[in-house]
Amino acid sequence: MTGTGRAGTAAPIAVGDQAPDFSLKDNHGRTVRLADFRGGAAGHDGEGAGDSYLDGKNVVLVFYPFAFTGVCAGELGALRDALPAFVNDDTQLLAVSTDSIHTLRIFAEQEGLEYPLLSDFWPHGQTSRAYGIFDEDKGCALRGTFVIDRTGIVRWSVVNALPDARDLDQYVKALAAL
């Protein structure tokens, strides 16, 4: 990546770029790949996907610094409370932090989060770095959100500093524009 973003980070990937693929474990130890949500992606077993999978799904990819922190719990709780807008036949919500899968499992249970929490724990921050939002000084992701279309192209993004919560209504507008 070229350029720099906030101190200690590379520049975030741009709208119009191909979203970097990843393979991460979720809070239940299952492997989740971004490529599995692309239309016609090879290697998908089709389990539970229904007919909409043939067209793929848009992905709302939400990076957050750490589980069990006030702003993160508030943001992820707001997504939980509006879940039908983010997990449906057309869209899949994926939340990523550098916490371990064990931490994420307990956090999801405590907060009632029923969408995948993905662990970017090891190699530490590799996916966050690929998206240009890893804060090297703090060792965690910034608050970055990327709306990715069914072909894997970033169509909308926002990156906030660690203490600054995001407005999920912006995600809904970005999805509606696809």
Side-chain angles (χ1 to χ4, degrees):
M1 296 195 178
T2 59
T4 58
R6 291 171 174 75
T9 65
I13 61 169
V15 170
D17 286 352
Q18 183 75 35
D21 201 10
F22 57 79
S23 178
L24 297 171
K25 297 283 187 186
D26 73 4
N27 47 306
H28 299 289
R30 297 177 293 225
T31 299
V32 176
R33 294 171 193 82
L34 181 61
D36 288 344
F37 298 99
R38 290 195 187 130
H44 189 297
D45 62 12
E47 183 178 328
D51 294 335
S52 66
Y53 182 74
L54 297 175
D55 295 329
K57 283 190 174 193
N58 300 309
V59 173
V60 177
L61 184 61
V62 177
F63 289 89
Y64 61 100
F66 297 111
F68 299 107
T69 58
V71 176
C72 294
E75 285 188 314
L76 297 176
L79 288 165
R80 174 201 59 219
D81 295 345
L83 201 56
F86 302 107
V87 177
N88 54 54
D89 288 343
D90 296 318
T91 306
Q92 178 62 52
L93 172 64
L94 301 173
V96 181
S97 79
T98 55
D99 294 301
S100 73
I101 62 171
H102 310 293
T103 299
L104 295 177
R105 182 178 310 119
I106 294 167
F107 181 58
E109 289 171 5
Q110 177 179 306
E111 298 295 322
L113 306 175
E114 296 181 7
Y115 50 88
L117 302 183
L118 307 180
S119 175
D120 192 15
F121 183 72
W122 197 258
H124 191 72
Q126 180 177 2
T127 300
S128 303
R129 283 183 180 93
Y131 280 80
I133 59 163
F134 188 78
D135 185 320
E136 297 289 343
D137 297 332
K138 304 277 191 218
C140 64
L142 297 172
R143 294 183 191 286
T145 302
F146 301 87
V147 173
I148 303 164
D149 73 12
R150 300 165 197 267
T151 65
I153 302 298
V154 175
R155 297 297 176 188
W156 180 88
S157 70
V158 64
V159 179
N160 287 5
L162 294 177
D164 301 330
R166 293 159 284 193
D167 180 358
L168 70 91
D169 290 335
Q170 292 178 346
Y171 310 173
V172 173
K173 290 176 187 173
L175 286 168
L178 294 180

Coordinates of all heavy atoms in Angstrom, one line a residue, residues 1-40:
M1 N 0.8 -1.2 0.0 CA 0.0 0.0 0.0 C 0.9 1.2 0.0 O 1.9 1.2 0.6 CB -0.9 0.0 1.2 CG -1.8 -1.1 1.3 SD -3.1 -0.8 2.5 CE -4.0 -2.3 2.1
T2 N 0.4 2.2 -0.7 CA 1.1 3.5 -0.7 C 0.4 4.5 0.1 O -0.8 4.4 0.4 CB 1.3 4.0 -2.1 OG1 0.0 4.2 -2.7 CG2 2.1 3.0 -3.0
G3 N 1.1 5.5 0.5 CA 0.5 6.6 1.3 C 0.4 6.2 2.7 O 0.6 5.1 3.1
T4 N -0.1 7.2 3.5 CA -0.3 6.9 4.9 C -1.7 7.4 5.3 O -2.2 8.4 4.8 CB 0.8 7.5 5.8 OG1 0.8 8.9 5.6 CG2 2.1 6.9 5.6
G5 N -2.3 6.8 6.3 CA -3.5 7.3 6.9 C -3.2 7.9 8.2 O -2.3 8.7 8.3
R6 N -3.9 7.6 9.2 CA -3.6 8.1 10.6 C -2.3 7.6 11.0 O -1.7 6.6 10.5 CB -4.7 7.6 11.5 CG -6.0 8.3 11.2 CD -7.1 7.7 12.1 NE -8.4 8.4 11.9 CZ -9.2 8.3 10.9 NH1 -8.9 7.6 9.8 NH2 -10.3 8.9 10.8
A7 N -1.7 8.2 12.0 CA -0.4 7.9 12.5 C -0.3 6.4 12.8 O -1.2 5.8 13.4 CB -0.1 8.6 13.8
G8 N 0.7 5.7 12.3 CA 0.8 4.3 12.6 C 0.0 3.4 11.7 O -0.1 2.2 11.9
T9 N -0.6 3.9 10.6 CA -1.4 3.1 9.7 C -1.1 3.4 8.3 O -0.6 4.5 8.0 CB -2.9 3.3 9.9 OG1 -3.3 4.6 9.5 CG2 -3.4 3.1 11.3
A10 N -1.4 2.5 7.4 CA -1.3 2.7 6.0 C -2.6 3.4 5.5 O -3.5 3.4 6.3 CB -1.1 1.4 5.2
A11 N -2.7 3.9 4.3 CA -3.9 4.4 3.8 C -5.0 3.3 3.7 O -4.7 2.3 3.2 CB -3.7 5.2 2.5
P12 N -6.2 3.6 4.1 CA -7.3 2.6 3.9 C -7.5 2.3 2.4 O -7.3 3.2 1.6 CB -8.5 3.3 4.5 CG -8.0 4.3 5.4 CD -6.7 4.8 4.8
I13 N -8.0 1.1 2.1 CA -8.3 0.8 0.7 C -9.4 1.8 0.2 O -10.2 2.2 1.0 CB -8.6 -0.6 0.4 CG1 -9.9 -1.0 1.2 CG2 -7.5 -1.5 0.8 CD1 -10.4 -2.4 0.8
A14 N -9.4 2.1 -1.1 CA -10.4 3.1 -1.6 C -11.6 2.5 -2.1 O -11.6 1.3 -2.6 CB -9.6 3.9 -2.7
V15 N -12.7 3.3 -2.2 CA -13.9 2.9 -2.8 C -13.5 2.6 -4.3 O -12.8 3.4 -4.9 CB -15.0 4.0 -2.7 CG1 -16.1 3.8 -3.6 CG2 -15.4 4.1 -1.2
G16 N -14.1 1.6 -4.9 CA -13.7 1.2 -6.2 C -12.7 0.1 -6.3 O -12.5 -0.5 -7.3
D17 N -11.9 -0.1 -5.2 CA -10.9 -1.2 -5.2 C -11.5 -2.5 -4.9 O -12.6 -2.7 -4.3 CB -9.9 -0.9 -4.0 CG -8.9 0.2 -4.3 OD1 -8.9 0.8 -5.4 OD2 -8.2 0.6 -3.3
Q18 N -10.8 -3.6 -5.4 CA -11.2 -4.9 -5.0 C -10.9 -5.1 -3.6 O -9.8 -4.8 -3.1 CB -10.3 -5.9 -5.9 CG -10.7 -7.4 -5.7 CD -12.0 -7.8 -6.3 OE1 -12.3 -7.3 -7.4 NE2 -12.7 -8.7 -5.7
A19 N -11.9 -5.6 -2.8 CA -11.7 -5.9 -1.4 C -10.7 -7.0 -1.2 O -10.8 -8.1 -1.8 CB -13.0 -6.2 -0.7
P20 N -9.7 -6.8 -0.4 CA -8.7 -7.9 -0.1 C -9.5 -9.1 0.5 O -10.3 -9.0 1.4 CB -7.8 -7.3 1.0 CG -7.9 -5.9 0.8 CD -9.3 -5.6 0.4
D21 N -9.2 -10.3 -0.1 CA -9.8 -11.5 0.4 C -9.2 -11.9 1.8 O -8.1 -11.5 2.1 CB -9.7 -12.6 -0.6 CG -10.7 -13.7 -0.4 OD1 -11.7 -13.6 0.4 OD2 -10.5 -14.8 -1.0
F22 N -9.9 -12.7 2.5 CA -9.4 -13.1 3.8 C -10.1 -14.4 4.2 O -11.1 -14.8 3.6 CB -9.6 -12.1 4.9 CG -11.1 -11.7 5.1 CD1 -11.9 -12.5 5.8 CD2 -11.5 -10.5 4.6 CE1 -13.3 -12.2 6.0 CE2 -12.9 -10.2 4.8 CZ -13.7 -11.0 5.5
S23 N -9.4 -15.1 5.1 CA -10.0 -16.4 5.7 C -9.7 -16.3 7.2 O -8.5 -16.3 7.6 CB -9.2 -17.6 5.1 OG -9.7 -18.8 5.6
L24 N -10.7 -16.1 7.9 CA -10.6 -15.9 9.4 C -11.6 -16.8 10.1 O -12.6 -17.2 9.6 CB -11.0 -14.4 9.8 CG -10.1 -13.3 9.2 CD1 -10.7 -11.9 9.5 CD2 -8.7 -13.4 9.8
K25 N -11.2 -17.2 11.3 CA -12.1 -18.0 12.2 C -13.1 -17.1 12.9 O -12.7 -16.0 13.3 CB -11.2 -18.7 13.3 CG -10.3 -19.7 12.7 CD -10.9 -20.9 12.2 CE -9.9 -22.0 11.8 NZ -10.5 -23.2 11.2
D26 N -14.3 -17.6 13.0 CA -15.3 -16.8 13.7 C -15.3 -17.2 15.2 O -14.5 -18.1 15.6 CB -16.7 -16.9 13.1 CG -17.4 -18.3 13.3 OD1 -16.9 -19.1 14.0 OD2 -18.5 -18.4 12.7
N27 N -16.2 -16.6 16.0 CA -16.3 -16.9 17.4 C -16.7 -18.3 17.8 O -16.7 -18.7 18.9 CB -17.3 -15.9 18.1 CG -18.6 -15.7 17.4 OD1 -18.6 -15.4 16.2 ND2 -19.7 -15.9 18.1
H28 N -17.1 -19.1 16.8 CA -17.4 -20.5 17.0 C -16.3 -21.4 16.4 O -16.4 -22.7 16.3 CB -18.7 -20.9 16.4 CG -19.8 -20.1 17.0 ND1 -20.3 -20.3 18.3 CD2 -20.6 -19.1 16.5 CE1 -21.2 -19.5 18.6 NE2 -21.5 -18.7 17.6
G29 N -15.2 -20.8 15.9 CA -14.1 -21.6 15.3 C -14.3 -22.0 13.8 O -13.5 -22.7 13.2
R30 N -15.4 -21.5 13.2 CA -15.6 -21.8 11.8 C -14.8 -20.8 10.9 O -14.7 -19.6 11.3 CB -17.1 -21.6 11.4 CG -18.0 -22.6 12.2 CD -19.5 -22.4 11.9 NE -19.9 -21.1 12.4 CZ -21.0 -20.9 13.1 NH1 -21.8 -21.9 13.3 NH2 -21.2 -19.7 13.6
T31 N -14.4 -21.3 9.8 CA -13.6 -20.5 8.8 C -14.6 -19.7 8.0 O -15.5 -20.3 7.4 CB -12.7 -21.3 7.9 OG1 -11.8 -22.0 8.8 CG2 -12.0 -20.4 6.9
V32 N -14.4 -18.4 7.9 CA -15.2 -17.5 7.1 C -14.3 -16.8 6.0 O -13.3 -16.3 6.4 CB -16.0 -16.4 7.9 CG1 -16.7 -15.4 7.0 CG2 -16.9 -17.1 8.9
R33 N -14.7 -16.9 4.8 CA -13.9 -16.3 3.7 C -14.7 -15.3 3.0 O -15.9 -15.5 2.7 CB -13.5 -17.4 2.7 CG -12.5 -18.4 3.2 CD -12.4 -19.6 2.2 NE -11.7 -20.7 2.8 CZ -12.3 -21.6 3.5 NH1 -13.6 -21.6 3.7 NH2 -11.6 -22.6 4.1
L34 N -14.2 -14.2 2.7 CA -14.9 -13.1 2.0 C -15.3 -13.7 0.6 O -16.4 -13.4 0.2 CB -14.0 -11.9 1.8 CG -14.7 -10.7 1.1 CD1 -15.9 -10.2 1.8 CD2 -13.7 -9.6 0.9
A35 N -14.5 -14.4 0.0 CA -14.8 -15.0 -1.4 C -16.1 -15.8 -1.4 O -16.7 -15.9 -2.4 CB -13.6 -15.8 -1.9
D36 N -16.4 -16.4 -0.2 CA -17.7 -17.2 -0.2 C -18.9 -16.4 -0.4 O -20.0 -17.0 -0.7 CB -17.8 -17.9 1.2 CG -16.7 -19.1 1.3 OD1 -16.2 -19.5 0.2 OD2 -16.5 -19.5 2.4
F37 N -18.8 -15.1 -0.4 CA -20.0 -14.3 -0.5 C -20.1 -13.7 -1.9 O -21.1 -13.0 -2.3 CB -20.1 -13.1 0.5 CG -20.2 -13.7 1.9 CD1 -19.0 -13.8 2.7 CD2 -21.4 -14.2 2.4 CE1 -19.1 -14.4 4.0 CE2 -21.4 -14.7 3.7 CZ -20.3 -14.8 4.5
R38 N -19.1 -14.0 -2.8 CA -19.2 -13.5 -4.1 C -20.1 -14.3 -5.0 O -20.2 -15.5 -4.8 CB -17.7 -13.5 -4.7 CG -16.9 -12.4 -4.1 CD -15.6 -12.2 -4.9 NE -14.8 -11.3 -4.1 CZ -13.5 -11.5 -3.9 NH1 -12.9 -12.5 -4.4 NH2 -12.9 -10.6 -3.1
G39 N -20.7 -13.7 -5.9 CA -21.6 -14.5 -6.8 C -20.8 -15.5 -7.6 O -19.8 -15.3 -8.1
G40 N -21.3 -16.8 -7.5 CA -20.7 -17.9 -8.2 C -19.4 -18.3 -7.7 O -18.6 -18.9 -8.4

